[in-house]
């Protein structure tokens, strides 16, 4: 069973193995398939139409399955690799450990935002932007430019205290934990981090930046934390509801997994 760690606690070997596995998936062309999938759902998920990956109750189980699929791909390269998470309530600056040259590389340069350090820098030739939203072919970041501050621990605790999972109208205007953690309401957790990183992280092709996986791994951990804090609170909606995924509905693009299947993460992995 996978044991997901805080990225700050990874050994030098674990960091290298993670980076090497990500680069190998890119070399094989498999990495870009994840970008294509995510971008397609960003474009199709709307407040008034069918929505699965975003702006909807299934935001959390959909991304849990997406993370698991990516983790399994990494393990097909190196069985020892698991997804680490980025606790942005602690590692809050461009000098944090995840931006080191031996891990994800640093901030983008002024002017065009091009990342120039680390294994994912354009100059290394190993990380071309094949799935992109414009003509730029290099990884871009603008740490702390789009929004100055990352969410705080107090912000997280306030969202974790919300007892209801989700509510009508089941979109970006809903009350409940899901919409607050997704970041359309309240302290803007998930969405604010995407904007803080900047570059491709502000687009539907956000997995172009490998930090996407560490960010979403922490969002998944927050869901696990919420589930532990509110054992009597259930996924909603339970019964069939227009345009959204109910508890036992299958989720695209897999069509063989439901939110119910994703509720208990401990059958697949644990968090350290």
């Amino acid at each position: 069973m996978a044991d997901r760690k805080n990225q700050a606690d990874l050994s030098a070997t674990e960091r290298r193995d993670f980076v090497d596995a990500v680069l190998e998936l890119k070399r094989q062309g498999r990495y870009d398939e994840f970008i294509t999938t995510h971008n397609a759902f960003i474009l199709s998920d709307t407040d008034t139409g069918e929505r699965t990956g975003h702006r909807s109750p299934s935001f959390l189980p959909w991304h849990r399955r997406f993370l698991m699929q990516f983790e399994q791909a990494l393990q097909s390269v190196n069985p020892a690799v698991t997804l680490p998470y980025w606790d942005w309530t602690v590692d809050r600056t461009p000098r944090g450990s995840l931006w080191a040259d031996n891990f994800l590389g640093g901030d983008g340069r002024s002017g065009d935002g091009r990342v120039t350090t680390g294994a994912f820098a354009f100059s290394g030739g190993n990380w071309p932007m094949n799935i992109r939203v414009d003509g730029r072919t290099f990884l871009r970041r603008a740490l702390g430019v789009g929004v100055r501050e990352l969410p705080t621990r107090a912000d997280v605790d306030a969202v974790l205290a919300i007892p209801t999972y989700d509510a009508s109208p089941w979109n970006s205007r809903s009350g409940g934990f899901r919409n607050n953690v997704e970041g359309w309401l309240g302290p803007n957790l998930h969405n604010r981090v995407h904007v803080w990183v900047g570059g491709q992280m502000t687009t539907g092709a956000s997995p172009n930046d490998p930090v996407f996986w560490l960010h979403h791994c922490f969002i998944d951990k927050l869901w696990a934390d919420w589930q532990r804090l509110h054992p009597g609170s259930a996924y909603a909606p339970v019964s069939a509801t227009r345009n959204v995924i109910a508890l036992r509905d299958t989720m695209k693009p897999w069509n063989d997994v439901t939110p119910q299947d994703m509720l208990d993460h401990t059958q697949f992995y644990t968090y350290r």
Side-chain angles (χ1 to χ4, degrees), residues 77-125:
V77 175
N78 183 340
V81 172
T82 58
L83 280 176
Y85 62 88
W86 168 29
D87 183 349
W88 27 255
T89 70
V90 176
D91 293 307
R92 303 178 52 77
T93 75
R95 298 175 298 280
S97 55
L98 78 164
W99 308 117
D101 290 354
N102 69 346
F103 199 29
L104 301 187
D107 199 1
R109 68 187 183 188
S110 61
D112 62 3
R114 181 185 295 189
V115 172
T116 60
T117 60
F120 306 103
F122 180 76
S123 59

Side-chain angles (χ1 to χ4, degrees), residues 11 28 77 96 101 134 182 205 207 219 245 264 270:
S11 68
Q28 294 175 2
V77 175
D101 290 354
D134 56 37
E182 189 173 355
I219 293 295
I245 305 297
D264 180 13
T270 57

Side-chain angles (χ1 to χ4, degrees), residues 105-146:
D107 199 1
R109 68 187 183 188
S110 61
D112 62 3
R114 181 185 295 189
V115 172
T116 60
T117 60
F120 306 103
F122 180 76
S123 59
N126 297 316
W127 202 250
M129 298 294 99
N130 301 316
I131 312 300
R132 52 184 185 268
V133 296
D134 56 37
R136 289 172 286 187
T137 60
F138 48 85
L139 179 61
R140 293 178 288 112
R141 293 179 183 139
L143 305 183
V145 173

Side-chain angles (χ1 to χ4, degrees), residues 252-271:
K252 297 177 181 178
W254 308 288
N255 298 318
D256 62 356
V257 62
T258 68
Q260 185 175 46
D261 296 330
M262 293 291 99
L263 295 183
D264 180 13
H265 76 283
T266 64
Q267 62 184 312
F268 309 111
Y269 54 85
T270 57
Y271 281 109

